[in-house]
Amino acid sequence: MALAAATSSNIANIANTENLDTSLNVKRLSPVLGAEVTSFDVAGCTDAQFEQLLTAWDCAHGLLVLRDVHISPAEHIAFARRFGEPAMGTADPHSILGHYWHPEFPAIYRVSNKVINGVPQGREDAGTYWHTDGTHGNTPSRCSLLYGLELPPCGGDTIFASLSTSYEALSDTMKRLLQGLTAVHTLAKTLADGSQNSYAKELVGKADLAAAKTATHPVVRYHARTGHRSLFVNPGFTSHIVGMHSAESKALLEFLFAHTTQQEFLYRHQWRRNDLVIWDNTCTMHYAVSDYKAYGVRYMHRVSVKGETPVAA
Ligand code: SIN
């Protein structure tokens, strides 16, 4: 089924829908965000096919699940390169928890609970809290491509939130209030909150924390491809709103975090082996559910693509 046929009215105004290619095998996964693409030749796709995929991605509010993908690490990186420059483990002096980068392919970050001979094969509990990748940097990641190589028989889902749909659901009065606001994002935020997420646990007492990046971004972000506005705050990294008293900032952020994580704005992805999931960090956030460890191994390869300075909407 073509995605155009499955679009609901809330995405009818997305740019480029008229270019949707009916030859792509696309099926909507939830009313709010996410579409599944089958039989897509990741390693061998043409530029035109890639453009069609991008359009489907935009129509699916920035989340695509490519099924039954068989690619090598080099092909994974080459495909990610179509979206932009991959972030490299070794090239980033601020790289935290650097030993989880793939030893032969520094653009691949390994997310896993797998341990061989006492050596962790990836970072366990990566992203087990609501966040958008890299917002503590000045140029947060454009997108991430996570490839499921080994999966437990159950659990280990990833939940995604559409930050454009939740923005649209706000009242005009709230939209006006948010217009022009900026917020500070920092890796240290989780510690300040007393959160038990894994970044916090692994960073406690480490020099990494002192070097943790901090960035200021618009609270409402413009998406250059779709023309959509989306909220650009997340519980993982957004510490406060600039220019507000701390109680005001706390209340507003708490409202926005509760608002954006309502069930109506979420899609929960149950992984299948060889899924390649691509999410747009401009307009989504995600949460890795850490419930599976008693059931088996989860081993994923992630490539994140560098982004640009967010533009205020
Ligand atoms: C991440 O936040 O990049 C990890 C997501 C996951 O493991 O599901």
Side-chain angles (χ1 to χ4, degrees):
M1 180 186 358
L3 187 63
T7 52
S8 57
S9 58
N10 68 335
I11 65 165
N13 60 345
I14 287 185
N16 298 328
T17 41
E18 68 277 9
N19 295 332
L20 267 183
D21 179 78
T22 47
S23 69
L24 266 191
N25 242 327
V26 188
K27 192 179 87 179
R28 182 163 290 285
L29 287 169
S30 87
V32 64
L33 84 162
E36 171 192 82
V37 182
T38 48
S39 310
F40 189 80
D41 184 1
V42 168
C45 71
T46 63
D47 288 349
Q49 287 165 335
F50 181 69
E51 277 306 314
Q52 289 153 11
L53 193 80
L54 284 185
T55 303
W57 194 40
D58 291 339
C59 290
H61 280 202
L63 179 67
L64 284 184
V65 177
L66 276 54
R67 298 284 195 196
D68 205 22
V69 170
H70 296 268
I71 45 170
S72 66
E75 287 169 332
H76 186 176
I77 296 165
F79 185 61
R81 210 176 285 285
R82 285 178 172 267
F83 292 83
E85 196 190 338
M88 293 285 180
T90 49
D92 180 358
H94 296 291
S95 173
I96 291 174
L97 311 173
H99 44 289
Y100 299 130
W101 294 93
H102 195 294
E104 290 162 63
F105 299 95
I108 290 188
Y109 196 73
R110 297 170 301 163
V111 175
S112 187
N113 61 334
K114 189 171 177 171
V115 179
I116 298 179
N117 296 331
V119 180
Q121 298 301 297
R123 180 151 170 257
E124 192 177 28
D125 286 339
T128 53
Y129 52 99
W130 280 113
H131 68 288
T132 299
D133 294 336
T135 65
H136 44 83
N138 286 322
T139 53
S141 164
R142 177 189 182 196
C143 62
S144 301
L145 297 87
L146 188 65
Y147 186 34
L149 288 157
E150 287 179 64
L151 292 162
C154 61
D157 298 350
T158 311
I159 311 176
F160 294 90
S162 168
L163 296 174
S164 50
T165 312
S166 50
Y167 172 79
E168 286 306 330
L170 293 170
S171 69
D172 288 344
T173 306
M174 178 56 87
K175 286 178 185 164
R176 275 195 298 277
L177 173 72
L178 300 179
Q179 191 83 35
L181 292 182
T182 56
V184 173
H185 298 239
T186 172
L187 205 47
K189 191 255 177 176
T190 50
L191 278 185
D193 277 358
S195 161
Q196 286 306 299
N197 84 43
S198 60
Y199 253 137
K201 281 188 267 181
E202 294 197 54
L203 290 173
V204 171
K206 294 192 178 176
D208 284 334
L209 187 60
K213 288 187 268 186
T214 295
T216 302
H217 299 303
V219 169
V220 181
R221 181 175 183 177
Y222 173 76
H223 193 298
R225 279 181 57 85
T226 64
H228 273 192
R229 294 180 168 88
S230 57
L231 290 163
F232 200 61
V233 290
N234 63 84
F237 301 133
T238 312
S239 61
H240 61 279
I241 310 253
V242 176
M244 284 188 164
H245 295 314
S246 102
E248 295 167 343
S249 162
K250 191 165 182 288
L252 183 52
L253 284 178
E254 273 173 9
F255 163 74
L256 291 174
F257 297 156
H259 173 71
T260 50
T261 54
Q262 290 178 89
Q263 294 296 323
E264 286 73 13
F265 304 131
L266 309 183
Y267 161 70
R268 181 171 182 137
H269 184 62
Q270 284 185 292
W271 285 86
R272 293 185 204 158
R273 195 164 182 207
N274 298 315
D275 279 351
L276 178 67
V277 176
I278 309 167
W279 63 83
D280 185 338
N281 285 311
T282 311
C283 55
T284 65
M285 63 179 177
H286 57 282
Y287 183 115
V289 183
S290 177
D291 59 354
Y292 62 92
K293 288 177 211 162
Y295 292 87
V297 162
R298 186 178 188 268
Y299 181 75
M300 327 286 272
H301 278 179
R302 189 188 70 202
V303 179
S304 286
V305 172
K306 290 182 182 174
E308 294 175 351
T309 307
V311 175

